[in-house]
Amino acid sequence: MFLALAAFLFYGASAQQPAAHVLPKIEKVTVNSPVTLTDNGDSWTLDNGIVKMTVLKRNGNISSLIYHGIETQTHGEYWEQTPSGAITARVTIDPATNGGERAEVSVLGVNPGDRNNPSPLGGPPGGGVPAAQEQRVPGAPGATPGAGGAPNGRPGYAGARPGGPRPGGPRGGGMDIETRYTLERGVSGFYTYAEYTHKASYPPAGEGESRFILESMNPTFNWLSVDRDRNQLMTTDADLRKGVVIHAKEQRILLSGVYANSVEHKYSYNAVMYRLQAWGWSSTTDHIGVYFINPSNEYIGGGSEKLDLIDHMSGTLLDYWTSGHYAGGAINHIPTGEDWKHVVGPIFVYFNSLADAKDPTPAQLDAFHASYGSGMPAVPAVWHDNAIALWQDAVEKSKAVKAAWPYAWVEGVDYPHKDGRATVTGQLVLDDPQAAIKTFPHLTVGLAHPDYINTSGGFQQRSGNGNVVTWPHDGDYYQFWTEGAKDGRFTIRNVRPGTYTLHAFADGVLGEYAKANITVEAGKPLDLGKLDWQPVRYGRQVWEIGYPDRTGDKFFKGDGANYWLWGWPLRYGDLFPNDITYIIGKSDYRKDWFFEEVPHSITDAWKNPAAKDPLNQRYGWVNNPTGTQDMWREWGHGKATTWTVKFTMPKASKGSAVLRIALAGADGGNGTTPSAPGSLQIGVNGQEVGTIHPVATNALRYNTDKGVWYQYVQKFDASLLKAGENSMTFTVPAGDVTTGVVWDYLRLELNDGSKAYPVAPDSGRPDAPPAL
């Protein structure tokens, strides 16, 4: 798939990919100068002869970042919430004491806040105080062993926690923040990390969104690298500014440039944080790149399934550790009475350059410019090769960065070294007589904080779990995840001490394994032995569509080359003008089942009449807007969509039938009526049997094939099934075409009483945590 994509997107319609393809070489790092640290009064400058950075003492922001003699920043680089309150700026590692091997600087803000007047959650970036208000305080406190950052400080189901409904944010106090920057000898990049501290005496506090940001970089960075499918030349800021907003402020119809008659949407560049290796930007003119690498994901809220925005237009690079995007890992909230610490990072920011970069010929540039707005941009092949070489080098670098975790040089924060952590092993054994295979094609295993009660409201209580916070929505505590082997064996390394719940899920297995009360002690390996996994079945399997893997990627247009492109809800109606009729045993879910079911568009006014293949081409298929009007008012509504599944039963049925649905995402709200936007009405042989109201995860509006995963059931009387042909219908009501569902898996089960099975709920989520 990647080669096909590369041939289309990067080589253009008329270019020919060379038979023997060799990417440019990466320039080797030969500089090994001692690290220097210069105190400028209001800032420090750290320099290792490769990277030179200036850090402001008043708030810990980077004001200058130079690589290869090029100033890479125009806006700055910073943590979303900066230290505030009483500021202490200090040197935590002095290169004069270690022969120039390493330098590190720290800015700490101690901000107890006002318990009687907590401010709204979060606050704008750059929440530091003006220099005139700075106060000097004693040095930053050291790590507090066993502080609430360890995952056993939060009450479970015993009762709700104290704390008001509107927790205070860092700007309003209640959270101490320390940010650090570290530069090593001979290393082409730097580390940064932050520690967030909430003392029991502080008012409730937390972060609504928190991230490390490299924003509005030097325009020389014009090639974006997310993964193999999203690795491309980006539109210019000038073309973006000329664009016209459609549907939301983050989306614009481009009127000029290489991607004219396309929509640029910043949320097209999201990714599952746990699976990222390296992501960033490179320059087609200066032949340099800059990439973020998370050495560990323990500090990122939402665990192994957390989907977040990582790059977007205007040279922005993001590393979120908590947010409300896609309904996962949403915010953190620490109540009064709880001691809590959370260390984010160290994150590695990597720079690289090419030793033998190639530049396009004048003829290739002419062809490129002539292809503007065609939908098939003739991007010079050498630009693609240069960018891929830089990105692949960053991916390779990420392996060494991750392997070195945890870092022995991190001191003075709540960060256990290797001997303060432990390794957890075990083997999951699948016990499912109806399973086609007994192995795990793709097994994910993790340790997370036990479910706990949240009283803060906000995104965590929009997860469909009431006041209970489960691991995909937890933004407060550390999580530790790994990939298991096909035989079910797993090894989770570098786990902090604490009490956890073990979770596991795998491709082809519906549902999730969980084992509570896993106690991890520092320096003591823990072998859990063989763990029996019995997935829930409510009856004999009659049929299935797809397979559970928590994404829509196996269905038509849900693959990595397509799902992230803006506009599939508009194009669906023309791709399937009669909606979908799927015949069990005959249809192919890879081409006959669309990855999302949405209202059927009632207009073709969105089509660019000059587009050669408006239903399939990547770019150039969107019509021009009328002036500066938001065209979504005219384009964005659709009629009800009904999909039909036909299947044959050998005889009439009795007992109960259970339809099982796994959704990779949904949009439209959490309504309660059959016609509510985003609901899914289910019928059997012409009779309505129920309606599912999926939890909204912004998966459709924000261009993805997944959000937080949920499963649902709909039970009905099996006597509705007859001998011979049967039909089941799935209807999404009329409304905005970005309401509906992203499919993962469907299965029909039948319990005719001949064998004992668990009793299924009548409808809803069978695995929802109990409301307390």
Side-chain angles (χ1 to χ4, degrees), residues 272-275 297-307 321 328-329 444 446-448 470-475 477-481 505:
V272 177
M273 303 294 290
Y274 168 70
R275 306 202 181 279
N297 282 79
E298 68 179 47
Y299 44 81
I300 294 176
S304 63
E305 289 292 279
K306 176 53 178 168
L307 186 74
W321 67 273
T444 304
L447 291 166
T470 59
W471 68 263
H473 306 99
D474 177 23
Y477 295 113
Y478 300 105
Q479 299 190 31
F480 304 86
W481 292 85
F505 54 90

Side-chain angles (χ1 to χ4, degrees), residues 424-448:
V424 179
T425 58
Q427 183 179 17
L428 287 157
V429 179
L430 185 63
D431 182 5
D432 182 2
Q434 296 192 56
I437 57 175
K438 301 299 182 182
T439 57
F440 300 101
H442 182 195
L443 173 64
T444 304
V445 186
L447 291 166

Side-chain angles (χ1 to χ4, degrees), residues 13 84 122 159 184 192 196 315 335 472 588 608 611 752:
S84 62
E184 296 182 10
T192 183
Y196 301 81
D588 183 349
N608 176 8
D752 61 4

Side-chain angles (χ1 to χ4, degrees), residues 157-221:
Y157 289 143
R161 304 180 303 178
R166 295 288 292 174
R171 190 160 193 165
M175 189 75 72
D176 301 339
I177 300 177
E178 181 181 8
T179 59
R180 296 186 178 190
Y181 297 90
T182 312
L183 193 62
E184 296 182 10
R185 181 201 289 260
V187 174
S188 188
F190 66 92
Y191 292 89
T192 183
Y193 57 111
E195 182 178 51
Y196 301 81
T197 300
H198 179 275
K199 297 180 180 180
S201 60
Y202 286 5
E207 286 80 27
E209 283 192 3
S210 198
R211 55 197 175 169
F212 181 64
I213 311 168
L214 193 158
E215 186 175 39
S216 298
M217 293 184 293
N218 188 321
T220 188
F221 292 104

Side-chain angles (χ1 to χ4, degrees), residues 378-697:
V379 177
V382 292
W383 283 355
H384 157 259
D385 290 352
N386 291 342
I388 294 298
L390 290 165
W391 174 68
Q392 287 184 353
D393 173 67
V395 169
E396 190 64 28
K397 178 66 175 180
S398 74
K399 298 175 183 177
V401 171
K402 293 172 184 287
W405 180 274
Y407 302 125
W409 48 264
V410 178
E411 299 282 359
V413 294
D414 186 31
Y415 180 87
H417 292 165
K418 194 79 173 179
D419 60 359
R421 299 169 180 255
T423 297
V424 179
T425 58
Q427 183 179 17
L428 287 157
V429 179
L430 185 63
D431 182 5
D432 182 2
Q434 296 192 56
I437 57 175
K438 301 299 182 182
T439 57
F440 300 101
H442 182 195
L443 173 64
T444 304
V445 186
L447 291 166
H449 190 286
D451 292 354
Y452 59 90
I453 296 171
N454 174 281
T455 58
S456 70
F459 283 106
Q460 283 182 327
Q461 290 195 14
R462 288 169 57 185
S463 64
N465 294 329
N467 62 351
V468 179
V469 180
T470 59
W471 68 263
H473 306 99
D474 177 23
D476 290 9
Y477 295 113
Y478 300 105
Q479 299 190 31
F480 304 86
W481 292 85
T482 192
E483 298 301 292
K486 288 185 178 181
D487 66 359
R489 297 179 191 272
F490 61 87
T491 299
I492 308 175
R493 295 181 172 85
N494 300 315
V495 181
R496 289 171 175 254
T499 299
Y500 300 88
T501 297
L502 182 78
H503 299 271
F505 54 90
D507 288 4
V509 182
L510 181 59
E512 180 182 302
Y513 174 88
K515 180 178 176 63
N517 300 316
I518 307 297
T519 300
V520 177
E521 300 179 65
K524 295 183 179 181
L526 177 61
D527 185 0
L528 300 176
K530 290 190 176 182
L531 305 170
D532 186 55
W533 185 358
Q534 299 182 31
V536 175
R537 298 262 186 177
Y538 298 116
R540 174 180 59 84
Q541 180 173 312
V542 179
W543 51 258
E544 64 181 350
I545 299 176
Y547 58 89
D549 73 345
R550 303 192 171 214
T551 79
D553 61 358
K554 82 282 293 178
F555 299 124
F556 187 58
K557 297 297 186 183
D559 59 292
N562 284 292
Y563 76 84
W564 55 277
L565 296 168
W566 185 90
W568 289 120
L570 288 176
R571 296 199 270 186
Y572 158 74
D574 280 5
L575 286 167
F576 294 92
N578 300 313
D579 291 327
I580 287 175
T581 297
Y582 188 95
I583 302 174
I584 298 295
K586 181 179 179 181
S587 298
D588 183 349
Y589 64 79
R590 287 173 287 265
K591 62 180 181 179
D592 299 325
W593 191 271
F594 198 58
F595 79 106
E596 54 189 29
E597 183 174 354
V598 295
H600 191 122
S601 176
I602 56 177
T603 180
D604 279 346
W606 47 266
K607 284 185 185 177
N608 176 8
K612 294 181 179 179
D613 186 5
L615 302 186
N616 294 288
Q617 69 186 55
R618 295 177 177 279
Y619 307 110
W621 58 269
V622 181
N623 205 355
N624 288 320
T626 302
T628 59
Q629 178 183 339
D630 183 348
M631 301 306 297
W632 201 252
R633 299 182 185 91
E634 298 182 16
W635 299 354
H637 188 79
K639 62 184 180 181
T641 297
T642 297
W643 292 7
T644 303
V645 175
K646 293 185 176 182
F647 56 99
T648 300
M649 299 290 290
K651 60 180 181 180
S653 301
K654 62 179 181 178
S656 64
V658 180
L659 175 68
R660 306 192 64 179
I661 293 175
L663 295 180
D667 256 313
N670 303 316
T672 57
T673 63
S675 60
S679 61
L680 188 65
Q681 302 166 25
I682 301 166
V684 176
N685 289 328
Q687 181 172 327
E688 186 174 335
V689 297
T691 300
I692 290 174
H693 301 284
V695 176
T697 67

